[in-house]
Amino acid sequence: MKNIGILLSGRGSNFEAIARNIASGHVPDARIALVISNKPDAGGLGTARRLGLTALAIPSRGKEREQHDREVAAALKEHKVELVCLAGYMRLLSPWFVKQFPQRILNIHPSLLPSFPGLEAQQQAFAYGVKVAGCTVHFVDEELDHGAILVQKTVPVLDGDDEHSLADRILEQEHIAYSEAIRMVLEGNFEVAGRRLVRTLTASK
Ligand code: GRF
């Protein structure tokens, strides 16, 4: 059984989808050991508590980045977390934090990276006039929205779309993509060659 730690800052719909997919057996041999928010009023914390999960607020406000990251890492280690999933965590991680969990931190971003990194990616894509949008689950490295890609899902931009309807359809795909990526990482039958994920035949662990 692998322990997953979730970091979030807001409503937590991606976290909820992961929890649902674990409960239904779509992500086998995993449990959510801990949910942490840097925002004490994040909706995702309430959801976690309702689901009977351990939920912690570790406020980031007014703290040096690495100081906050050290508190978060200590909580994750205390709960024996092996895989850290950022799910709407609106805070850059320090290089120190990234080193604590090598190839063990995932993020989801609501665009087809490397297009539209950063904030409001769906609006950026819509305003740019792309015909295909989507989402990306990737490993976290020291650069924003940058590490090796695990899963991408495409979403067509329809004639009647506005940025909100597009974002809603991207979110539906996010909820599928994140659990797929977690399953891949936990199964472990791939190697990262440069930026590319290459499938290997047998599980490496
Ligand atoms: C999602 O769009 C995710 O891709 C981005 O932040 C949003 C979080 O939504 N990183 P939620 O809190 O999971 O509902």
Side-chain angles (χ1 to χ4, degrees):
M1 186 67 78
K2 292 276 179 355
N3 282 341
I4 294 177
I6 305 270
L7 303 188
L8 52 76
S9 305
R11 67 188 162 180
S13 75
N14 274 289
F15 146 59
E16 227 180 315
I18 294 166
R20 213 167 35 238
N21 285 326
I22 289 176
S24 66
H26 286 94
V27 181
D29 300 322
R31 60 186 281 268
I32 296 176
L34 180 61
V35 178
I36 297 175
S37 173
N38 65 317
K39 304 263 186 214
D41 58 353
L45 281 181
T47 307
R49 293 191 180 112
R50 271 197 301 283
L51 293 173
L53 299 171
T54 306
L56 284 183
I58 303 183
S60 53
R61 212 186 164 135
K63 279 180 200 151
E64 292 280 334
R65 185 174 311 287
E66 196 175 307
Q67 175 52 36
H68 180 254
D69 280 358
R70 282 180 187 273
E71 292 174 29
V72 172
L76 292 169
K77 286 177 182 173
E78 193 186 324
H79 287 81
K80 306 210 169 354
V81 164
E82 290 153 277
L83 181 64
V84 180
C85 295
L86 311 187
Y89 189 58
M90 302 303 286
R91 194 161 163 88
L92 281 175
L93 295 171
S94 60
W96 178 86
F97 187 95
V98 175
K99 283 199 191 77
Q100 303 307 301
F101 301 93
Q103 274 192 21
R104 288 286 168 211
I105 311 172
L106 307 186
N107 181 43
I108 187 154
H109 184 73
S111 78
L112 294 172
L113 290 171
S115 293
F116 314 118
L119 292 175
E120 303 194 334
Q122 308 96 322
Q123 288 86 332
Q124 290 185 54
F126 184 76
Y128 197 89
V130 300
K131 298 295 183 194
V132 180
C135 62
T136 305
V137 185
H138 62 93
F139 283 115
V140 170
D141 64 12
E142 292 173 9
E143 289 177 51
L144 179 68
D145 299 331
H146 179 265
I149 291 172
L150 284 146
V151 173
Q152 288 189 308
K153 299 276 179 201
T154 58
V155 173
V157 181
L158 306 177
D159 284 344
D161 265 335
D162 60 20
E163 56 190 49
H164 303 292
S165 60
L166 178 61
D168 287 348
R169 292 208 319 288
I170 293 173
L171 191 63
E172 283 173 20
Q173 294 303 310
E174 292 184 40
H175 293 167
I176 299 166
Y178 216 152
S179 294
E180 264 183 45
I182 292 171
R183 209 167 49 221
M184 275 174 70
V185 173
L186 296 184
E187 284 171 358
N189 37 6
F190 64 84
E191 286 165 6
V192 183
R195 291 194 48 88
R196 301 197 65 247
L197 242 73
V198 182
R199 294 279 190 171
T200 52
L201 287 176
T202 47
S204 59
K205 59 183 151 24

